[in-house]
Amino acid sequence: MVTAQPIYSPIIFIGRKQEMSTMMDLLHADVDDPSSKWMLSVHGEGGIGKTQLLYQFAKVAQSYYLDAHPLDQPPHKVLGVAHPIDFYLTANQTEAGILKSLADQLPQAEFQAFYTVLYGEYQRSGDEELLRANFLECYSNLDADHIVLLFDTIERASDAAQRFCKEVLPKLKQGGKGQFGTLIIAAGRESLTRFLTNDGIQDYPLKGLSQAEIQQYFRQYSQKRSRQPLQQNALENAQPWITPSFITRVTELSKGRPILIALTIDWLNYGNMPDDFAVQSPEAFEQLMVEQIQELRTPEDQMILAMAQLHRRFDQGFLQTIFGFSEAQAQAMIHSLTRFSFVKTHYAADGEIDSCLLHDEMRRLVMNYVWNRYDPNGELRQEWSAKAVAYYEQLIATVSETQQNLALRQTLERERLCYWLQTDLTAGFSYWRQLYARAGFPHEKEALNQEVQLFERKLSVKDQLELKFCQSYTDYERRDYLAALETFATVLAQTSDITLKAEIYPMMIYCSTHLSQIEKSLALGAESEAWFRQELEKQEPEKPLASAEVQRKLQHAYGKTLNAVGYAHRNQGRYDTAIAYYERSLEVLGNLVQADADRASTKTNLAYLFHLTGRDREATAHGKTALKIAERHNNLRQLGLTHNVLGIISANSLREQQASNHFDQALHYFEAREDLRGLALVKIALGRMYRQIGWSQVKPDRQNFTSAAANYARAARMLDEAVVHVRYSNQSILIDAYNEKATLLREQSRFAEAIDLYQRSRQVAETIGIAIKVVDNLVDLGVTYDLQGNSSAALQAAESALKMAEPLNSPHLLSRAQRTIANVLFKLGDYDQAIENAVDSCIKILEQDPYSFKNSPAKREVLHEEWLTWLTEDLIQNLPSQALKTAKCAYLIDRWEAAEVLGKVLADHYPGFVITLEDVIAEADNYP
């Protein structure tokens, strides 16, 4: 039953004029001034009044601009959140949750596109970049002069929330269409600057109330109560005895913290008198002010005690399920609790109360001074947590499976996990395993891991290491390879579990390869091979090699490790070695049914590598087997990937119809999975094929585009759709889409448009650090500038590309850069250097290149013929004198007879070029 006269003091806001003035000044920040302050980090100890300051400013900012403006001008339009985004809440421990909380409090009609992505593509792909970009686009279109965003409990920000602050907050400065932009105020026990460095942040340590303000607090409360004559209480009767000396002592002992001032009033409301105030230290004062709750003299007392334990969510359902309240009683109690100064109220998107949480400082006081005495053995707390586990099971069961409710379900599961870990650590850890195995995306796994981290010290050493492994794996999936590698190494050194070691080895090799630490990855490969052989060959009678299940896991992990070593060699262009490791991987995996997915993936990798090394029959054979395995398990993703590789093989072998059939199948499977990344990969490959078919119809005169129009139109459609699929998500694929579209434009002599897209592709490549693609775009820019007639820009781009390409083992890019340099130097009359670069270019174009889609034998032959034609017809034949032609032809014959590529002397393998040069010399001799 709920009392009609709650004893606890309501929310009162006193003072803070300087703070409010500072905030109002920052609201006028000039968005175009890079030195302006537009973020305020308010920090101070618990109970100092940070949260109420945020709420008060939200009200003042709105009313100020509505009322205080010149009569001849419309008021400034202010948008903002009415309730701070509290990082304490489970829902706000992920970026998607934070973005949704912001969108829910801003004009929701402006965020419809964001909600569509949130409940659509994001649920299917888990693509945080896509969701973030969509939110920012909606945010930039808000119709407001000022936007005020408030964040609370900064010290509780998860890793995901910290990333949000570092990566998203700086992008919010512009703030819609208004002239002033965004003001962000973040409050917490720690400063925002702990994990965010930005010149726009003003650090503001919050101090306690002064003695005069505390006296005003008492006076204002008395006035509020006097307006309610039916609610007489001890404070009113005691008011004449609240002397200045009493106020002084309260000021000193409370350190001016409003939460303790309010608790002092509550203490007086309980019938205590100032003369009873005999404490001498701040700690004793805290204890005195809060221990009255232990007496449980009102229903609110028990609820405060419960809220301290059930601290993740406290709603009507808890009161009904755990405490037996009726629906009406539960609703009345929740509304009663929302009035108290030490309760945080959180609202749903529709404005209804979602839950109440105890102020974190009040929770600390109750746990320290009440619960430990009231329940010294923790039995009642464990009982309530167990009830919470059961309650959440019911709550989760009522959540429908619609995509819109998926985030809510995940939030409830994480909260249930928290209480289960409190109730039964072993069962809770098992529940975490289930949730982690089911989680589809890194952000889900990260949030689950952080729930368990709160209990890490209580876990067994074995469970701690399992948790660390999962944290490392999640870092790997987030592409934080350095963090993943460091933690994998720590777990490897500490664990004695051979199956865990077996899982770690391939992951460490992949991490090192992604970090370009090739020597380290190969050393790890050698170490792991020796370890696996040792473990698999152990035959000690007194100590048998674990169970058949353990041996199966070792065999499976060994196959994955060999695959990882193959990947390391492949990344260095050592294809023959990579192929050998992939084939060994297949031997080890053998007939393990559980390894079918890995076998299909490995065979697809082999298909691609055999294609790059000119062994297309073997490539096709592996690809077809991979298809059978994927079909057997209905693995749509693998089917899409393998058909795409087979399509690339066919396209590069100039079998366009066969390629189209494979690409159509790949599109079918990726569409069935709604796999945007896969769709983009296939459409880029298709766009490239159609472009190349069109180009073969246009070159060499670049005049007759009519015959190529249909293929160019198909290519443009495919590439534009690929850009849409990955514009806000997979940046590495976006680089390729932009680059291919730019090349299509260049081939149509639309040079300015092509240059713009090449620059965009290059910028993305620089941003995410893919050097080979930066070089690729520089090479293409050099070619395009040359065709445009801008020789200086062409030479600068090509020389920059040449300098960057030399250490990257990409002969194809080196060749193309040198061809552009040769063209420019020839136009400038530097024939010696032009011919030198040209012949080097013709030799390098024949070398194998791990980064080129034009690297099949058939394509290399086509390119080589094109390169030799260019050298002889565009350069040699256009030299200004017959004597120079003869000299340069003789030089080129010598170079050709001395040069070897792939173990073949070029003069023997390509004798036609020597014949052509000899004919040029004969022509010069006969017709000087």
Side-chain angles (χ1 to χ4, degrees), residues 411-465:
T411 296
L412 296 174
E413 286 173 338
R414 294 201 301 274
E415 291 179 358
R416 186 180 188 222
L417 172 61
C418 171
Y419 291 116
W420 209 333
L421 289 165
Q422 290 180 24
T423 304
D424 184 336
L425 194 60
T426 301
F429 196 73
S430 178
Y431 182 56
W432 164 74
R433 284 197 192 100
Q434 295 174 32
L435 296 178
Y436 187 90
R438 199 173 70 213
F441 305 115
H443 63 268
E444 297 175 44
K445 297 175 182 178
E446 181 183 49
L448 290 167
N449 292 343
Q450 292 199 306
E451 292 289 349
V452 184
Q453 275 180 265
L454 299 172
F455 300 85
E456 187 170 0
R457 292 184 179 180
K458 297 181 179 180
L459 296 174
S460 68
V461 173
K462 183 176 181 295
D463 288 347
Q464 286 180 11
L465 292 173

Side-chain angles (χ1 to χ4, degrees), residues 160-207:
Q162 290 184 30
R163 282 196 303 273
F164 164 83
C165 291
K166 287 187 282 191
E167 298 172 12
V168 179
L169 291 188
K171 297 179 181 179
L172 300 178
K173 181 178 181 180
Q174 191 64 38
K177 300 177 180 178
Q179 58 178 312
F180 293 107
T182 299
L183 170 61
I184 290 171
I185 305 176
R189 298 191 183 203
E190 298 176 352
S191 173
L192 183 62
T193 57
R194 181 175 68 83
F195 52 80
L196 174 60
T197 302
N198 189 288
D199 292 337
I201 299 176
Q202 179 169 329
D203 209 43
Y204 199 106
L206 192 63
K207 298 179 181 178

Side-chain angles (χ1 to χ4, degrees), residues 488-693:
F488 278 136
T490 299
V491 178
L492 184 67
Q494 294 177 354
T495 186
S496 58
D497 184 339
I498 61 172
T499 58
L500 186 56
K501 283 179 181 284
E503 291 293 326
I504 291 172
Y505 271 121
M507 299 310 304
M508 290 182 68
I509 295 168
Y510 280 123
C511 285
S512 299
T513 304
H514 287 306
L515 291 167
S516 298
Q517 300 174 359
I518 301 302
E519 294 305 317
K520 183 172 184 175
S521 67
L522 296 180
L524 280 167
E527 176 188 330
S528 62
E529 283 188 73
W531 181 86
F532 274 106
R533 283 196 298 269
Q534 177 183 327
E535 292 298 328
L536 287 167
E537 292 171 3
K538 278 183 180 177
Q539 294 296 332
E540 300 177 23
E542 71 281 0
K543 209 174 175 184
L545 178 72
S547 64
E549 177 67 11
V550 170
Q551 183 143 2
R552 183 195 63 75
K553 287 182 178 180
L554 284 175
Q555 192 119 3
H556 192 173
Y558 186 26
K560 288 197 245 183
T561 300
L562 293 171
N563 207 325
V565 178
Y567 178 75
H569 285 289
R570 169 181 168 178
N571 269 263
Q572 288 299 295
R574 295 191 284 265
Y575 293 154
D576 290 340
T577 307
I579 287 170
Y581 270 97
Y582 283 145
E583 289 177 331
R584 286 181 59 198
S585 174
L586 290 177
E587 290 175 11
V588 171
L589 294 174
N591 296 318
L592 288 174
V593 175
Q594 298 85 347
D596 266 0
D598 294 296
R599 289 198 302 119
S601 176
T602 301
K603 280 185 168 290
T604 302
N605 291 336
L606 273 172
Y608 188 71
L609 286 187
F610 277 132
H611 166 58
L612 290 181
T613 53
R615 298 158 64 180
D616 279 357
R617 288 187 178 179
E618 292 164 279
T620 303
H622 278 293
K624 287 181 177 179
T625 304
L627 286 181
K628 289 179 182 178
I629 297 171
E631 286 169 354
R632 184 162 63 240
H633 294 279
N634 195 30
N635 187 332
L636 302 186
R637 180 177 181 273
Q638 189 60 56
L639 284 166
L641 291 171
T642 307
H643 272 296
N644 189 45
V645 167
L646 290 171
I648 291 171
I649 293 170
S650 298
N652 288 344
S653 301
L654 307 180
R655 300 192 299 271
E656 284 91 2
Q657 185 55 54
Q658 191 176 69
S660 293
N661 294 339
H662 282 300
F663 287 140
D664 286 346
Q665 286 294 306
L667 288 174
H668 166 73
Y669 289 118
F670 284 133
E671 284 169 353
R673 290 187 80 247
E674 297 180 318
D675 187 331
L676 299 181
R677 178 183 180 277
L679 287 170
L681 286 173
V682 180
K683 289 179 180 180
I684 290 171
L686 263 172
R688 182 184 295 114
M689 185 182 75
Y690 289 136
R691 174 185 64 75
Q692 290 171 346
I693 295 172

Side-chain angles (χ1 to χ4, degrees), residues 1-9 221 225 228-234 236 269-270 297-300 336 339-340:
M1 164 173 196
V2 180
T3 58
Q5 302 180 20
I7 204 72
Y8 296 106
S9 54
Y221 180 80
R225 300 294 277 184
Q228 302 174 39
L230 296 180
Q231 297 186 15
Q232 297 298 319
N233 59 77
E236 291 181 31
N269 277 340
Y270 267 112
R297 286 186 288 188
T298 68
E300 286 88 352
S336 174
R339 292 178 290 169
F340 299 153

